[in-house]
Amino acid sequence: MSFVPYDDRDGWIWLDGSFVPWREAKIHVLTHSLHYGASVFEGERAYDGVVFKSAEHSRRLHRSAELVGYSVPVSVEELGRIKLEVMARNGLADCYVRAFAWRGSEMMGVSAQQASIRTCVAVWHWGNYFADKMKGIRVTLSDWKRPSPETIPSAAKAAGLYMICTMSKHKAEAQGYADALMLDYRGYVAELTGANVFLIRDGAIHTPTPDCFLDGITRQTVIELARRRGYEVVIRHITPEELPTFSECFITGTAAEVTPVCEMAGIAYRPGLITETLMNDYDALVRGRLGSPAAA
Ligand code: PMP
């Protein structure tokens, strides 16, 4: 496999208040969040020099940190400026943006009351999240379930919640699938390992209630776009037994954007007009060729 490791690239990264050369943006091995999983992060995309829903992502970063028990020491407004400056310093207008925060190295027990909070913003070029995006992806069913909100703050985009996502994704890839659908702790359809899911039947779009997984910013955007088109959107609990009753399926996420699904949990789907329409509307919106759905 040939790829350039993320720690061996050229460019600039913003770390705790200053711009540092890419290869020097390092942390110590005895970093609390590396051991205990409470880093929080955002995945964003910039299109034509504009970070799509930048403030929403920064607000979610702040909320995620509050949910796991700390405050991000950089304001939403500052983060907005920093993202644009990191992009400019790296000469990128169309890129992925990763803003994140974590507990530092002052304490190494479970308690981290005195640990400093570190913040970083990095950007890089990232094309389609799925190699087969336009063909439609094949998705298997994960063995892992999204946990109850009484077990972990499931609305946070926090590192610990991704451990089972990576395990699910690895198993799916080993079996030749692009990704895995995760059910939730009650057995309802939840989400993929890094994206939300939508299912279509008789012209209506159904998507699970996000009560124990991330209510994606792309998910919310696509719901608005669909309603603006006059499509019915039904937000409800969906059981896996219902999966064969749908004809179309697509997933949404910042990295995945709107990606058609041609197979999920053993059921074949045929990407159709609604998926195509919403893919095109999302593309037009992020590139500023369509007004904001909220303004419609
Ligand atoms: N669920 C998970 C587990 C994710 O990692 C993501 C990507 N952030 C999403 C859903 C979609 O969220 P968004 O549309 O805000 O990127």
Side-chain angles (χ1 to χ4, degrees):
M1 197 187 274
S2 90
F3 56 83
V4 185
Y6 278 90
D7 58 359
D8 188 20
R9 298 181 178 197
D10 294 313
W12 294 89
I13 287 177
W14 185 92
L15 178 60
D16 295 324
S18 39
F19 289 92
V20 295
W22 193 284
R23 289 180 184 78
E24 288 166 31
K26 293 181 177 169
I27 57 166
H28 198 269
V29 288
L30 299 179
T31 289
H32 194 274
S33 287
L34 180 63
H35 296 251
Y36 299 104
S39 71
V40 294
F41 67 102
E42 272 307 313
E44 312 176 39
R45 272 191 193 269
Y47 299 89
D48 304 324
V50 179
V51 181
F52 183 64
K53 305 238 169 181
S54 178
E56 280 90 334
H57 281 283
S58 298
R59 281 197 287 271
R60 185 168 71 185
L61 184 74
H62 275 252
R63 205 163 52 245
S64 297
E66 302 294 342
L67 283 167
V68 304
Y70 59 92
S71 298
V72 176
V74 186
S75 72
V76 167
E77 294 69 30
E78 276 176 273
L79 282 167
R81 283 192 294 275
I82 292 161
K83 289 176 217 173
L84 295 177
E85 196 170 340
V86 184
M87 284 163 55
R89 288 202 184 215
N90 287 285
L92 289 171
D94 283 81
C95 59
Y96 184 78
V97 180
R98 175 59 59 92
F100 51 112
W102 67 97
R103 289 188 170 114
S105 301
E106 292 81 0
M107 299 181 75
M108 277 306 290
V110 169
S111 175
Q113 309 280 9
Q114 299 341 308
S116 58
I117 304 302
R118 317 275 312 266
T119 316
C120 185
V121 180
V123 302
W124 61 86
H125 172 74
W126 202 347
N128 285 342
Y129 186 64
F130 294 104
D132 284 347
K133 179 176 178 189
M134 299 317 287
K135 258 179 38 198
I137 57 164
R138 293 179 61 238
V139 177
T140 188
L141 186 64
S142 172
D143 305 327
W144 295 99
K145 306 253 170 92
R146 298 312 296 163
S148 156
E150 292 176 55
T151 303
I152 194 160
S154 39
K157 195 167 165 65
L161 279 149
Y162 281 84
M163 190 179 78
I164 57 175
C165 297
T166 299
M167 293 164 76
S168 303
K169 179 107 176 170
H170 281 186
K171 184 164 178 188
E173 287 177 342
Q175 295 173 344
Y177 293 95
D179 210 331
L181 171 70
M182 306 184 84
L183 304 181
D184 73 18
Y185 65 103
R186 298 160 295 195
Y188 293 129
V189 169
E191 59 173 352
L192 271 63
T193 62
N196 293 116
V197 64
F198 290 78
L199 292 140
I200 298 161
R201 174 168 79 197
D202 302 327
I205 306 171
H206 299 247
T207 192
T209 310
D211 55 6
C212 62
F213 58 85
L214 211 61
D215 179 4
I217 290 170
T218 321
R219 175 189 179 279
Q220 295 169 43
T221 304
V222 166
I223 289 172
E224 295 284 337
L225 287 170
R227 289 187 168 146
R228 192 196 232 196
R229 282 269 176 195
Y231 297 135
E232 184 189 356
V233 180
V234 188
I235 300 168
R236 64 180 177 88
H237 290 136
I238 298 171
T239 64
E241 290 71 33
E242 287 181 73
L243 289 176
T245 68
F246 296 101
S247 55
E248 263 181 77
C249 176
F250 65 85
I251 59 157
T252 64
T254 296
E257 300 169 307
V258 177
T259 295
V261 172
C262 62
E263 180 191 325
M264 190 166 73
I267 315 294
Y269 296 102
R270 188 186 295 273
L273 183 64
I274 295 183
T275 302
E276 196 185 325
T277 302
L278 292 172
M279 275 177 90
N280 291 337
D281 281 1
Y282 186 72
D283 191 58
L285 179 70
V286 297
R287 297 208 174 270
R289 286 187 272 108
L290 198 70
S292 161

